[in-house]
């Protein structure tokens, strides 16, 4: 990611918090590239927002305070967002790094966050989707992590049937 350049802005997404208090915030802000026409290209992997992924093009509305709020997705990137809660070694920094490095070898990028022992993966269309799914399912069965789909494509869904 190339944050903090002049063309990067924060885009805010409203979140619905469930009865268990998850996600732990009602707004998530993501870095994006301002395309100059009321749209942005996401340049972040979402932690909590559902239905969006890195490189998606999104319409934004600017409120009276200058805050950019996410609107409709105009062009989906084809990327998937998968989130893991790392259970192995209590979600330690080393465990999160190992998860990121392992999935990086399959064509993903991502980030880890200490607060929740989480890893968010950005999976481009050219990544090895069947192997990624197989590894996700294996790691969950072994108790290494729990995972959820934040944003997926038809190609990703097809790996479940394979």
């Amino acid at each position: 990611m190339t944050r903090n350049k002049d063309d990067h802005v924060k885009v805010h997404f409203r979140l619905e918090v469930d009865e268990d208090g998850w996600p732990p915030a009602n707004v998530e802000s993501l870095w994006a590239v301002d395309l100059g026409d009321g749209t942005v290209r996401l340049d972040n992997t979402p932690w909590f927002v559902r239905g969006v992924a890195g490189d998606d093009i999104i319409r934004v509305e600017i409120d009276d305070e200058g805050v950019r709020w996410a609107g409709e997705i105009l062009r989906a990137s084809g990327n998937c967002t998968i989130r893991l809660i790392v259970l192995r070694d209590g979600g330690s920094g080393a465990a999160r790094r190992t998860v990121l490095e392992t999935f990086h070898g399959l064509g993903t990028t991502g980030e880890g966050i200490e607060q929740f022992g989480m890893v968010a993966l950005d999976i481009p269309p050219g990544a090895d989707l069947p192997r990624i799914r197989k590894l996700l399912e294996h790691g969950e069965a072994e108790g290494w992590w729990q995972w959820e789909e934040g944003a997926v494509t038809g190609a990703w869904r097809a790996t479940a049937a394979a």
Side-chain angles (χ1 to χ4, degrees), residues 59-128:
R59 183 180 318 281
V60 294
E61 294 186 22
I62 301 175
D63 69 15
D64 294 340
E65 297 173 10
V67 176
R68 285 175 176 82
W69 291 96
E72 68 180 307
I73 299 170
L74 299 177
R75 185 182 61 78
S77 63
N79 293 356
C80 296
T81 301
I82 302 292
R83 295 183 274 262
L84 297 88
I85 301 229
V86 179
L87 304 173
R88 190 174 211 174
D89 298 329
S92 68
R96 291 190 314 275
R97 278 189 301 279
T98 298
V99 169
L100 286 166
E101 289 167 5
T102 300
F103 282 97
H104 181 76
L106 298 175
T108 73
T109 59
E111 299 180 62
I113 185 171
E114 181 177 4
Q115 185 175 5
F116 304 106
M118 286 178 65
V119 167
L121 299 175
D122 187 62
I123 305 172
D128 191 340

Side-chain angles (χ1 to χ4, degrees), residues 1-60:
M1 271 176 259
T2 54
R3 287 188 207 140
N4 296 326
K5 286 190 172 182
D6 291 339
D7 60 351
H8 277 72
V9 296
K10 283 288 192 166
V11 176
H12 296 76
F13 292 79
R14 289 183 175 86
L15 304 173
E16 292 201 25
V17 178
D18 68 19
E19 62 277 355
D20 296 324
W22 194 260
N26 59 9
V27 173
E28 179 176 6
S29 61
L30 299 175
W31 284 107
V33 175
D34 187 348
L35 301 177
D37 60 357
T39 66
V40 298
R41 180 183 52 78
L42 292 184
D43 197 26
N44 238 149
T45 305
W47 291 108
F48 305 112
V49 178
R50 294 188 175 279
V52 299
D55 291 332
D56 286 356
I57 305 295
I58 298 176
R59 183 180 318 281
V60 294

